[in-house]
Amino acid sequence: MEALVASAVGIMTAAGIFLILRRRTFPVILGLSLITYAVNVFLFATGRLALDAPAVLNKYEDVPYTDPLPQALVLTAIVISFGMTAVIVMIALSAYLSSKDDHIDMTAQDCVDGAGEDA
């Protein structure tokens, strides 16, 4: 089961990085969402992967349990990522409406010119 979860995290991360490197805004947003999902699954897996195990300790029996802290972290991360995705979508939508295009145009010369201005 651990190999399956690790493979899923790796595939989602790779697909997210691939989408982030695209030249349009919508695939970049999807890539950020995939990386967020990969981090959430990784955080969830840190609480030990146990089937049919409660997240609460039982003081009367010695039963396997899962750690509730990663579950709380994942719930918080889901809420934050949902809000940030909404903000990024609104920024991309306003950029599209103002320029009538959703390409991310940055040439090598723009990178060189931008680096000189910061120094």
Side-chain angles (χ1 to χ4, degrees):
M1 179 134 165
E2 287 86 5
L4 179 67
V5 172
S7 298
V9 169
I11 290 170
M12 283 192 290
T13 303
I17 290 172
F18 175 76
L19 288 172
I20 283 177
L21 296 175
R22 307 312 291 163
R23 296 191 50 101
R24 301 182 75 95
T25 55
F26 185 68
V28 171
I29 294 169
L30 287 179
L32 286 171
S33 296
L34 274 177
I35 288 179
T36 302
Y37 296 149
V39 169
N40 287 344
V41 170
F42 175 74
L43 283 175
F44 191 73
T46 60
R48 280 190 270 156
L49 299 172
L51 297 175
D52 298 329
V56 180
L57 291 174
N58 188 352
K59 65 180 180 178
Y60 301 112
E61 292 181 40
D62 189 24
V63 296
Y65 67 95
T66 57
D67 190 11
L69 182 63
Q71 295 175 10
L73 287 174
V74 167
L75 283 174
T76 305
I78 289 171
V79 171
I80 292 171
S81 67
F82 180 74
M84 288 308 299
T85 302
V87 168
I88 292 172
V89 166
M90 292 308 296
I91 291 171
L93 184 62
S94 66
Y96 171 73
L97 292 176
S98 67
S99 68
K100 302 294 187 230
D101 192 15
D102 70 336
H103 279 86
I104 301 171
D105 294 326
M106 188 168 209
T107 61
Q109 186 62 33
D110 292 337
C111 292
V112 172
D113 292 341
E117 293 173 3
D118 292 337

